[in-house]
């Protein structure tokens, strides 16, 4: 059984005062296997962020199912939703979403503190993660004292510390310079090779070329997908670029 199964997913938004209806997603279906690294691409307004928000249980679909590890998250009660997200999902956002009044260490600890985990257990869990991400020396600093790349590493550490079933990343390289982008993508590849499942929305062909599969969304539907298979990053970059050209010029996917 796949780790994530999306079936017949549809999302309709009603404009203010009940006027026009906008169909953001329609009949979206795909699966993500345990340990897979999948990127979602599409033009602005294609529905990719809506899809990520639904998968993150930040919104509910009009119809369809989103099944994570055998559980339909659309049926979870609102009162249990925050707990579900904390225990099963890891989030990495474009804007980091760190608390400036908390140290780097406390920002990473936050999801487990909210869960009531003891300090002894916290200290045990953080050490291998920050060592892997290269931020051990930053733990006592505050977000405003570190670079954008270091902030994003902190956000990745915060996502990993709960041992999530899946990491959901929304434009994780969007606020980073080229060097920090390369470093973050190296880290994502490293944690994925360690068995972590990643689902990432991105505009960046460079970021997508590091994934094992790319899903392309157009007009609220899955338009095409590419598997990296044995291709190099450079070869996959070229394949993705060609698919995006077809996507934006209105051609048919191959």
């Amino acid at each position: 059984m796949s780790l994530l199964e999306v079936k017949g997913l549809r999302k309709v938004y009603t404009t203010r005062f009940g006027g026009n209806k906008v169909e953001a997603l329609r009949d979206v279906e795909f699966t993500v296997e345990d340990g897979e690294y999948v990127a979602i691409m599409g033009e602005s307004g294609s529905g990719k962020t809506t899809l990520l928000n639904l998968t993150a249980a930040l919104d509910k679909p009009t119809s369809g199912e989103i099944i994570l590890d055998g559980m339909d998250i659309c049926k979870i009660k609102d009162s249990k939703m925050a707990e579900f997200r904390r225990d099963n999902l890891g989030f990495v956002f474009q804007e980091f979403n760190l608390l400036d009044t908390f140290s780097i260490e406390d920002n990473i600890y936050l999801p487990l503190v909210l869960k009531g985990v003891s300090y002894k257990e916290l200290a045990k869990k953080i050490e291998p993660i920050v060592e892997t991400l290269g931020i051990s020396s930053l733990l006592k600093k505050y977000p405003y004292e570190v670079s954008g790349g270091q902030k994003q590493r902190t956000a990745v550490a915060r996502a990993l510390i709960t041992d999530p079933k899946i990491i959901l990343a929304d434009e994780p390289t969007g606020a980073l310079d080229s060097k920090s982008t390369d470093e973050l993508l190296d880290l994502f590849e490293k944690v994925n090779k360690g068995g972590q499942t990643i689902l990432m929305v991105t505009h960046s062909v460079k970021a997508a070329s590091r994934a094992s599969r790319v899903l392309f969304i157009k007009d609220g539907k899955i338009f095409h997908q590419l598997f990296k298979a044995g291709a190099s990053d450079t070869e996959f970059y070229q394949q993705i670029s060609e698919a995006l050209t077809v996507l934006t010029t209105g051609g048919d996917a191959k």
Side-chain angles (χ1 to χ4, degrees):
M1 185 176 68
S2 301
L3 176 67
L4 177 68
E5 297 178 84
V6 175
K7 302 178 179 179
L9 199 64
R10 184 169 179 258
K11 180 63 179 179
V12 177
Y13 292 103
T14 303
T15 56
R16 199 175 179 188
F17 307 121
N20 296 329
K21 291 186 175 181
V22 178
E23 192 174 38
L25 294 175
R26 51 198 178 102
D27 197 31
V28 172
E29 299 204 359
F30 67 94
T31 61
V32 176
E33 301 304 314
D34 190 21
E36 199 174 6
Y37 183 179
V38 179
I40 300 173
M41 301 193 79
E43 295 180 284
S44 295
S46 61
K48 61 186 184 299
T49 298
T50 298
L51 177 57
L52 194 73
N53 286 342
L54 293 175
T55 307
L58 297 171
D59 195 3
K60 292 203 172 185
T62 303
S63 59
E65 297 176 308
I66 303 170
I67 301 169
L68 180 66
D69 201 21
M71 180 185 299
D72 187 348
I73 68 176
C74 305
K75 294 180 179 177
I76 298 171
K77 293 180 180 178
D78 289 345
S79 60
K80 298 288 186 183
M81 194 60 80
E83 181 182 345
F84 170 81
R85 285 194 293 264
R86 186 188 65 215
D87 292 346
N88 295 278
L89 308 175
F91 299 96
V92 180
F93 303 97
Q94 178 176 339
E95 297 300 332
F96 320 128
N97 286 15
L98 302 177
L99 299 174
D100 275 339
T101 54
F102 281 30
S103 67
I104 295 297
E105 183 176 43
D106 288 339
N107 267 285
I108 296 169
Y109 281 156
L110 187 58
L112 294 185
V113 170
L114 294 173
K115 195 176 178 180
V117 174
S118 69
Y119 182 80
K120 184 178 180 180
E121 185 66 22
L122 291 175
K124 188 189 301 182
K125 288 185 73 69
I126 198 173
E127 190 175 331
I129 293 173
V130 296
E131 188 174 325
T132 296
L133 300 183
I135 54 173
S136 301
S137 62
L138 304 178
L139 295 182
K140 301 305 179 185
K141 291 183 179 291
Y142 287 81
Y144 56 82
E145 297 179 302
V146 303
S147 70
Q150 290 167 333
K151 288 178 185 177
Q152 196 60 296
R153 286 170 180 246
T154 301
V156 174
R158 181 185 56 192
L160 289 172
I161 202 165
T162 59
D163 297 319
K165 289 186 170 68
I166 188 169
I167 283 184
L168 303 173
D170 188 7
E171 299 287 0
T173 63
L176 302 179
D177 59 29
S178 180
K179 181 174 182 292
S180 296
T181 290
D182 289 340
E183 290 174 349
L184 180 69
L185 295 176
D186 287 344
L187 289 172
F188 267 28
E189 187 173 323
K190 189 174 184 178
V191 298
N192 173 247
K193 285 181 177 178
Q196 179 64 60
T197 309
I198 301 173
L199 182 64
M200 172 180 66
V201 161
T202 184
H203 278 102
S204 167
V205 177
K206 185 179 193 177
S209 69
R210 303 291 288 272
S212 56
R213 178 163 54 115
V214 181
L215 298 175
F216 298 90
I217 289 188
K218 182 177 181 179
D219 299 328
K221 293 191 72 173
I222 301 294
F223 174 75
H224 186 43
Q225 66 175 332
L226 287 175
F227 290 87
K228 190 171 191 177
S232 67
D233 291 346
T234 302
E235 291 168 338
F236 202 35
Y237 184 105
Q238 185 61 39
Q239 291 174 29
I240 294 166
S241 297
E242 290 171 358
L244 284 174
T245 299
V246 172
L247 189 75
T248 55
T249 56
D252 294 324
K254 294 179 181 179

